Amino acid sequence: MAARTDDEKIRKQFNFYFSDSNLPYDKFLWTLHSNAENGWIPLSVIAGFKRIQMITTDLDVVLKALKEQESDVYEIDEEGKNIRRKGQVVEQDHVSRSVHVKGFPLVDADAENPADKLIELQDKIDDFFNEKANVLCTRLKKDGKKFKGTAYVEFENPEQAKKIAELKQVEFDGHTLTILYRPEYHKLKAEEYKDKPSQWKPRQFNAFKPQNDNYKRKRTDSHKGQNKKGKFNKNNKKSEEKKEDKEENKEENKEENKEENKDEENKE
C-alpha cells in the first residue's frame, strides 16, 4: 500500500472525527458539536488537535486539503472558518464489528513524546489491518495514560470483523498478535468477573444514553452520609454508627465516673 500524502492523512482524520464511529462517542468533540450554533465549530479548534498538529501546524494547509475533496460526513462554511457534521448522527454497534487484539509493543510512558509514539503505532495498526479489510478506527486500550498493549479494531461490518477474528494470530512488527472477535472477548470477561461484575464493565461516553448511565460515580456527602443522588452510602453509615457508639461510650463513662465520685464522697 502506497504511503498516504499529508493531504490524505488530514482528510482521513477529519472524516474520522465527524464519523458515526467517533463523534457521538467522543465526549469533548460531541460537547463542541452539540453546543455550537447550528453545529458550526471553528476549524482552528479541530486543526489544533494533536493528530493534525503532527501533520501540519499551518491552518491554510489544513483548509486546502479539506477543500480539495468533498466529504460525506463534514462540510466547511463559505469563509473557510468553520466546520460541522453533515446530516444526523446514527447510533452504531461497535461491538459486533470489532475485534480485540493483544500483543502490541508497549510504549514507555516515560519516553520522550509517548503520545506521538502511540499515534504512530495507531496509524501502523490501521494500515496493517486495512490490507485485510476496511478499518473504520483503532482504539488503543489504556490503563490511565499507560498503553496496555491491546486494542479494539473496528471494521466496516460484522462479517469483516469475523473474518479477521478467524486469523486468530498474526505477525506485526516482530510481535505475535492474538485476535478475538469482540463479542466473544466480552463473554470471556463477563465469565471471568461473574462473581464481581462491578470490577469489569466496558465504559465509554455515549451521546445516545443519559450521562448517568455512562459514568456512575459515588460521591459521598461526608456530613450526611449521602451520595450525590441523595441515597445513603453504606460506608458512611458505618462510620456514622461508629461515631455514635463512641459518643455513647463517652457518655456512659462520664456517668460511671460521676457515680464513682458520688460513692467516694459518701464514703468520706
Side-chain angles (χ1 to χ4, degrees):
M1 179 183 288
R4 293 189 185 92
T5 65
D6 284 351
D7 285 356
E8 288 172 335
K9 289 178 182 178
I10 291 169
R11 287 193 291 270
K12 175 180 179 289
Q13 198 57 40
F14 271 80
N15 274 310
F16 170 69
Y17 286 148
F18 289 93
S19 69
D20 288 335
S21 291
N22 181 70
L23 181 57
Y25 308 100
D26 182 323
K27 187 176 182 181
F28 178 75
L29 194 53
W30 179 260
T31 302
L32 287 177
H33 161 78
S34 55
N35 290 341
E37 186 176 354
N38 295 321
W40 289 111
I41 302 170
L43 180 60
S44 58
V45 172
I46 312 299
F49 287 2
K50 190 169 185 65
R51 271 185 167 273
I52 303 301
Q53 290 283 299
M54 285 180 67
I55 302 170
T56 180
T57 57
D58 190 332
L59 184 58
D60 290 334
V61 171
V62 173
L63 180 60
K64 176 178 172 292
L66 298 180
K67 282 190 168 183
E68 275 181 359
Q69 196 174 95
E70 188 176 351
S71 169
D72 293 330
V73 296
Y74 64 78
E75 60 184 342
I76 299 169
D77 67 6
E78 292 181 1
E79 295 180 349
K81 292 184 177 180
N82 300 290
I83 187 169
R84 70 178 176 185
R85 157 79 187 206
K86 271 186 181 178
Q88 294 296 314
V89 178
V90 180
E91 187 169 8
Q92 302 294 307
D93 178 8
H94 296 299
V95 175
S96 68
R97 63 186 190 191
S98 299
V99 295
H100 176 270
V101 189
K102 70 176 182 179
F104 291 108
L106 298 178
V107 173
D108 187 354
D110 297 324
E112 187 177 354
N113 299 323
D116 292 358
K117 293 185 184 302
L118 282 177
I119 288 173
E120 290 170 4
L121 174 62
Q122 197 166 8
D123 287 340
K124 276 187 178 181
I125 296 170
D126 279 352
D127 291 341
F128 178 79
F129 282 101
N130 255 323
E131 293 179 356
K132 308 175 190 306
N134 297 322
V135 174
L136 293 181
C137 68
T138 296
R139 293 181 172 87
L140 303 182
K141 296 181 68 179
K142 300 176 185 177
D143 183 3
K145 291 185 178 180
K146 188 176 180 181
F147 176 49
K148 297 168 66 175
T150 60
Y152 289 128
V153 183
E154 183 182 343
F155 298 93
E156 203 168 55
N157 53 56
E159 289 69 35
Q160 289 186 7
K162 289 175 183 177
K163 183 179 178 181
I164 295 297
E166 288 173 0
L167 297 173
K168 294 185 179 179
Q169 286 192 333
V170 293
E171 292 299 314
F172 173 86
D173 272 5
H175 296 264
T176 301
L177 304 180
T178 302
I179 307 172
L180 189 63
Y181 187 42
R182 187 170 175 179
E184 293 301 320
Y185 171 74
H186 281 193
K187 283 181 185 177
L188 287 177
K189 298 303 286 186
E191 179 65 23
E192 182 181 342
Y193 288 93
K194 65 181 179 181
D195 296 327
K196 37 190 176 180
S198 61
Q199 292 187 22
W200 185 80
K201 189 176 181 181
R203 290 191 301 180
Q204 182 185 12
F205 174 78
N206 187 336
F208 297 102
K209 295 180 181 178
Q211 190 169 337
N212 287 342
D213 290 343
N214 294 308
Y215 301 101
K216 289 185 178 179
R217 297 285 187 269
K218 286 187 177 180
R219 296 178 182 177
T220 58
D221 183 323
S222 59
H223 298 293
K224 297 180 181 179
Q226 294 179 331
N227 61 23
K228 204 170 183 181
K229 293 182 180 179
K231 294 180 180 177
F232 210 85
N233 184 287
K234 290 180 180 178
N235 292 331
N236 280 353
K237 183 180 179 181
K238 287 179 182 177
S239 63
E240 290 296 327
E241 287 174 349
K242 285 181 181 179
K243 284 181 183 178
E244 288 174 6
D245 289 342
K246 283 183 180 179
E247 292 299 323
E248 286 177 6
N249 289 335
K250 280 183 183 178
E251 292 300 321
E252 286 175 3
N253 289 335
K254 281 182 183 178
E255 292 300 321
E256 287 176 3
N257 289 335
K258 282 182 183 178
E259 292 299 324
E260 286 176 3
N261 290 336
K262 280 182 182 179
D263 290 342
E264 291 296 326
E265 287 173 3
N266 290 334
K267 282 179 183 177
E268 291 174 358

